[in-house]
Amino acid sequence: MVNSPPAGAPPRPTAATHSPLEEHLRALAGRVPDPELPVITLAELGVLRDVRLTSPDHAQVDLTPTYTGCPAIDTMATDIEHTLHAEGITHVTVRTVLAPAWTTDDITPEGRRKLADFGIAPPRPQHFTGPVTVSLGPTRTDAAPLACPHCGSTDTELLSRFSSTACKALRRCLSCREPFDHFKEL
C-alpha cells in the first residue's frame, strides 16, 4: 500500500505524458465494473487514478479506495489484472494509493446518472477546496433534502445510516413509499 511517492521521487505523470498504449490500457481498466455496484465502472466511480507502463510488458495501476479498508479493493485489483492480462500485459501491479483521498466528488456525472437510474440516490456534490470546518450537529444526510431516485420527491427519511455496504445509507421516500440506497457523501 502506498500513501504517496517517496521523497525525491519524480512527479507522477499527467495525462499529457501518457503514451497512446497507456491511454488504451487506462480506458480498458476504467471499464471494469465496480464489484459492489456493477452498474458503474471504476472510472465513473473515480477510484482509478493512473495506469502507466514501467516496461513493455509491465503495467502499474493506481487505485484509491472509497474508504480505507474497503473490502472491494482486492476484487477491483484482480479484475483489472485479468483485463490487462487479456490485452497482453504480462505483469500488472495494482497499488492502493491513499493520497489524495477519494471523495464522492470524484464520481463522474455519468456515474451519478447511472446510480440514480439503478435506484441509488447519488451523493450530493461537496466541492471542498481547502480546510473543512467541522462542527457538531445533525449530519448532512439529515439536514439537506434528498431526492428519491424513483419519483423525485424530496420528502424522504433516513432508515439506517448503513445499507448493503458501508458507503451507502438506507432511506425511504414518504411520497411513493419506496426504500432506496443513498451513496453517502464523503
Side-chain angles (χ1 to χ4, degrees):
M1 193 174 303
V2 176
N3 290 328
S4 60
R12 290 179 51 188
T14 63
T17 63
H18 285 148
S19 71
L21 178 56
E22 287 171 322
E23 289 297 324
H24 174 69
L25 296 174
R26 187 184 196 297
L28 289 174
R31 286 195 284 266
V32 169
D34 178 76
E36 293 177 336
L37 296 165
V39 299
I40 187 172
T41 68
L42 298 182
E44 293 163 342
L45 186 57
V47 298
L48 179 65
R49 299 297 189 176
D50 199 13
V51 176
R52 63 192 159 284
L53 291 171
T54 57
S55 71
D57 65 344
H58 186 181
Q60 182 173 298
V61 179
D62 291 348
L63 287 179
T64 298
T66 56
Y67 66 95
T68 304
C70 175
I73 199 78
D74 290 336
T75 303
M76 291 177 195
T78 300
D79 292 348
I80 288 172
E81 289 171 4
H82 289 285
T83 297
L84 298 186
H85 286 159
E87 193 64 18
I89 303 301
T90 316
H91 305 287
V92 178
T93 302
V94 179
R95 301 184 324 157
T96 300
V97 179
L98 300 179
W102 179 89
T103 74
T104 50
D105 282 342
D106 293 330
I107 300 174
T108 67
E110 179 66 7
R112 290 170 187 276
R113 185 195 61 75
K114 286 181 177 181
L115 287 172
D117 288 350
F118 189 64
I120 297 173
R124 294 162 284 209
Q126 302 287 318
H127 305 297
F128 293 127
T129 57
V132 177
T133 303
V134 177
S135 61
L136 299 177
T139 63
R140 181 171 180 175
T141 302
D142 294 327
L146 182 70
C148 170
H150 304 294
C151 73
S153 171
T154 57
D155 191 13
T156 64
E157 68 179 345
L158 178 68
L159 297 177
S160 174
R161 294 199 185 282
F162 297 98
S163 184
S164 57
T165 66
C167 301
K168 295 181 285 194
L170 182 61
R171 299 189 68 93
R172 176 176 48 212
C173 177
L174 298 174
S175 294
C176 71
R177 307 298 296 166
E178 287 293 322
F180 63 92
D181 281 337
H182 166 225
F183 202 113
K184 294 185 266 185
E185 292 84 10
L186 294 176

